[in-house]
Amino acid sequence: MSSEDPTLERHFRGHRDVVTALDFSPNGKQLVSSSLDHTVMVWNFKQQIRAYRFVGHSDSVYDVCFSPSGNLMASASRDRTVRLWVTNIRGDSTEFRAHHASVRSVSFSPDGQRLVTGSDDKTIKIWKVHNHKFECSLPTHTNWVRCVRFSPDGRMLVSCADDKTVKLHDVQSASTLHTFPELKGSTTRVAFHPSGTCIATAGSDSSVRIYDIRTRKLLQHYVAHSGPVHDLSFHPSGHLLLTSSADGTLKLLDLLEGRPIYTLHGHQGPVTCCGFASNGEYFASGGNDKQVMVWKTNFEPVDQCESLDVTQDVSHRQPLDVTVSVPDDSSEEEEEVTTVESRAGVQGRSHSSDVNGNQKSGGGSQEDNTATLQQMQSSLQHIITQLDTLTQTVVILEQRLSLAENKISDLANNKQFVHQGFSLFGPSKQEVEQIATGGGFQHQTVSQKGSIFGSNSQRVIQKGGTKQIVTGK
């Protein structure tokens, strides 16, 4: 391997499931990644600065990106929402109830004023970032929308879906300009060439295609991988294309020569995502092995981007295969990570530190102590709430006890009715009334009606069971 070949600079361990997407910050000092573990992680290239794990989604996160200013991040999730994160460790975020199904794709416009999302509900939606308002919808696909991206000038969108089509849209009129059919399989990712004149597609049929959007014709066709292509990214110069595949490799395609020039091995299993930094000096990859790898291109810098005007079919060309092997570092420990939790529409934790690449290393002890204090405050608030509930329950029980005492008092004055039915002497009815009075006396009145002997009444006054006075009527 020559000194000009790509080299592995760093690899990050921290995700607990498949890495689904990644993006470099505009200043190139950070990298953000999303995962099926429901989290978004921000990695800092300065080794003394720890990584940050943003927790807010309730399901897998499929896509993530930085805003052009680097002050915001957007993430799309299977929980049907999009979150707009402020790049600090307070956990400030805004939740978009964006779609009726999983959101597969999210991307900022070049000026950072708009956000576009694609979903399994078959729609593409555009949102205004500053007021978090819905702008318009493009229900043009007939199956799950896998990816949607803005053009470099922000005037167009390109999208792909499981309906085996790639569509070009006009943002201003919210209309579809052209449909590129993908006959051999569905497209998983799309990207605009930096010049804005071409688009590249990654296919489930292991192929990569490049179309000219001016002539609407196929420019180049590559079959460089032996498995489905999951992601792709143009180098800022426009001369190179990076691809990642289920075959476990990354490929660098030279678009001017029309052939693959590097095959990079590093991940254990499928490579799910990849991307260049804005200056082209580094690129990154993520995979099923839960790792994020950062590579140095070692290419000479290019000052300007040129349009791709080479028209050729390179599907049968033999690649110049230079393999960069990476040793298995399974024993290496995970990065030190600070977890940042957030709730939609609510300002998060009150940390004052940010996570940009210029911050000073503090070892993380202050953040950990603050997080512990906040957990204790949350637990205390929960206990107070439970005590309030218990107090209300006791009040209700006291009220019920008072009612029971009143009923017992009323039972001291009671009345019995005994209906004896029909007898030899005819129907009769006996009424017994007992009244407790003061001084230990108890009055009992027995009345009998309807018998052959007529009606009669007896009153018995008794005290202590020793003295009776009986009167009759």
Side-chain angles (χ1 to χ4, degrees):
M1 182 174 63
S2 70
S3 60
E4 296 181 354
D5 295 333
T7 55
L8 180 66
E9 292 294 300
R10 293 191 65 180
H11 59 290
F12 300 109
R13 302 174 188 267
H15 280 299
R16 302 182 178 98
D17 209 329
V18 176
V19 181
T20 55
L22 51 79
D23 188 33
F24 282 90
S25 63
N27 62 11
K29 296 180 179 180
Q30 295 169 287
L31 181 71
V32 63
S33 61
S34 60
S35 171
L36 298 184
D37 64 9
H38 307 184
T39 69
V40 170
M41 296 196 69
V42 175
W43 312 93
N44 290 283
F45 296 144
K46 292 183 179 180
Q47 295 189 1
Q48 67 270 29
I49 303 178
R50 61 174 54 198
Y52 292 88
R53 178 184 290 115
F54 289 82
V55 179
H57 287 289
S58 60
D59 211 328
S60 302
V61 186
Y62 289 137
D63 200 8
V64 68
C65 61
F66 275 103
S67 66
S69 66
N71 296 328
L72 297 173
M73 300 181 299
S75 56
S77 172
R78 188 181 177 186
D79 64 11
R80 305 180 182 182
T81 70
V82 170
R83 277 186 181 268
L84 202 61
W85 304 86
V86 179
T87 52
N88 57 40
I89 63 172
R90 293 177 300 186
D92 300 341
S93 71
T94 301
E95 184 181 69
F96 292 76
R97 294 287 179 178
H99 292 271
H100 301 297
S102 300
V103 188
R104 299 271 177 181
S105 178
V106 63
S107 181
F108 284 95
S109 61
D111 60 6
Q113 298 300 311
R114 288 187 171 107
L115 199 68
V116 63
T117 58
S119 169
D120 286 358
D121 64 9
K122 308 173 189 178
T123 65
I124 298 167
K125 294 185 178 181
I126 301 176
W127 310 78
K128 293 181 179 179
V129 173
H130 69 282
N131 58 7
H132 311 146
K133 298 297 183 182
F134 169 75
E135 185 173 334
C136 64
S137 179
L138 290 81
T140 59
H141 285 286
T142 59
N143 209 328
W144 293 358
V145 179
R146 292 286 180 176
C147 182
V148 56
R149 296 290 185 259
F150 276 99
S151 62
D153 60 9
R155 297 180 179 180
M156 290 184 289
L157 292 170
V158 62
S159 63
C160 64
D162 284 357
D163 58 8
K164 297 183 180 181
T165 64
V166 175
K167 293 180 180 288
L168 197 64
H169 313 274
D170 179 71
V171 174
Q172 185 66 29
S173 63
S175 61
T176 301
L177 300 174
H178 186 71
T179 299
F180 299 91
E182 296 283 306
L183 302 178
K184 295 184 179 181
S186 60
T187 302
T188 54
R189 279 289 189 276
V190 288
F192 267 99
H193 188 271
S195 67
T197 61
C198 306
I199 58 172
T201 67
S204 60
D205 61 350
S206 308
S207 66
V208 174
R209 295 178 176 86
I210 299 178
Y211 295 94
D212 191 322
I213 64 173
R214 298 164 298 184
T215 62
R216 313 288 169 82
K217 293 182 178 180
L218 179 67
L219 283 182
Q220 295 183 359
H221 177 210
Y222 297 86
V223 184
H225 289 282
S226 59
V229 183
H230 290 316
D231 201 3
L232 43 74
S233 176
F234 281 102
H235 187 272
S237 68
H239 298 164
L240 301 170
L241 183 66
L242 175 68
T243 61
S244 62
S245 170
D247 64 10
T249 67
L250 293 159
K251 300 276 186 178
L252 270 172
L253 310 179
D254 188 325
L255 303 181
L256 297 182
E257 294 186 14
R259 62 183 178 88
I261 55 175
Y262 291 108
T263 299
L264 307 176
H265 295 270
H267 289 277
Q268 303 298 316
V271 187
T272 53
C273 51
C274 62
F276 276 106
S278 59
N279 60 6
E281 185 178 354
Y282 293 93
F283 61 90
S285 59
N288 277 27
D289 57 4
K290 312 173 190 177
Q291 293 190 78
V292 175
M293 296 186 177
V294 179
W295 309 75
K296 190 171 183 180
T297 56
N298 293 319
F299 301 143
E300 293 183 2
V302 178
D303 295 332
Q304 60 182 7
C305 170
E306 299 179 5
S307 299
L308 184 64
D309 295 321
V310 180
T311 303
Q312 53 189 333
D313 185 351
V314 293
S315 58
H316 301 293
R317 291 198 175 200
Q318 294 297 323
L320 175 61
D321 193 353
V322 177
T323 301
V324 179
S325 298
V326 179
D328 182 12
D329 293 334
S330 58
S331 60
E332 183 173 334
E333 296 182 356
E334 292 185 357
E335 294 285 318
E336 291 187 2
V337 176
T338 297
T339 299
V340 181
E341 297 185 2
S342 178
R343 291 178 294 177
V346 178
Q347 293 298 315
R349 311 307 188 222
S350 58
H351 298 282
S352 60
S353 303
D354 59 21
V355 293
N356 59 47
N358 296 320
Q359 79 172 37
K360 296 181 180 180
S361 172
S365 58
Q366 183 177 358
E367 291 87 348
D368 292 342
N369 292 336
T370 306
T372 302
L373 178 60
Q374 290 167 351
Q375 291 176 358
M376 292 176 63
Q377 291 174 344
S378 178
S379 299
L380 181 60
Q381 184 62 41
H382 178 72
I383 293 172
I384 292 173
T385 303
Q386 295 297 321
L387 287 175
D388 289 342
T389 303
L390 183 60
T391 301
Q392 294 174 3
T393 303
V394 171
V395 171
I396 294 173
L397 289 176
E398 288 179 346
Q399 293 174 350
R400 291 184 177 179
L401 182 59
S402 298
L403 291 174
E405 289 175 347
N406 293 336
K407 288 185 179 180
I408 293 173
S409 178
D410 293 341
L411 288 176
N413 299 327
N414 63 79
K415 206 171 187 180
Q416 290 182 330
F417 292 93
V418 180
H419 186 72
Q420 295 179 346
F422 291 89
S423 66
L424 175 64
F425 305 102
S428 64
K429 181 179 181 183
Q430 190 178 63
E431 182 179 292
V432 180
E433 181 178 3
Q434 293 179 337
I435 302 174
T437 62
F441 285 92
Q442 185 180 51
H443 289 227
Q444 183 181 49
T445 301
V446 181
S447 300
Q448 186 171 359
K449 299 178 182 179
S451 70
I452 193 172
F453 302 106
S455 301
N456 61 79
S457 175
Q458 289 183 333
R459 175 175 294 175
V460 179
I461 302 174
Q462 182 176 352
K463 180 180 180 182
T466 58
K467 184 176 181 180
Q468 284 190 337
I469 301 174
V470 180
T471 60
K473 291 183 180 180

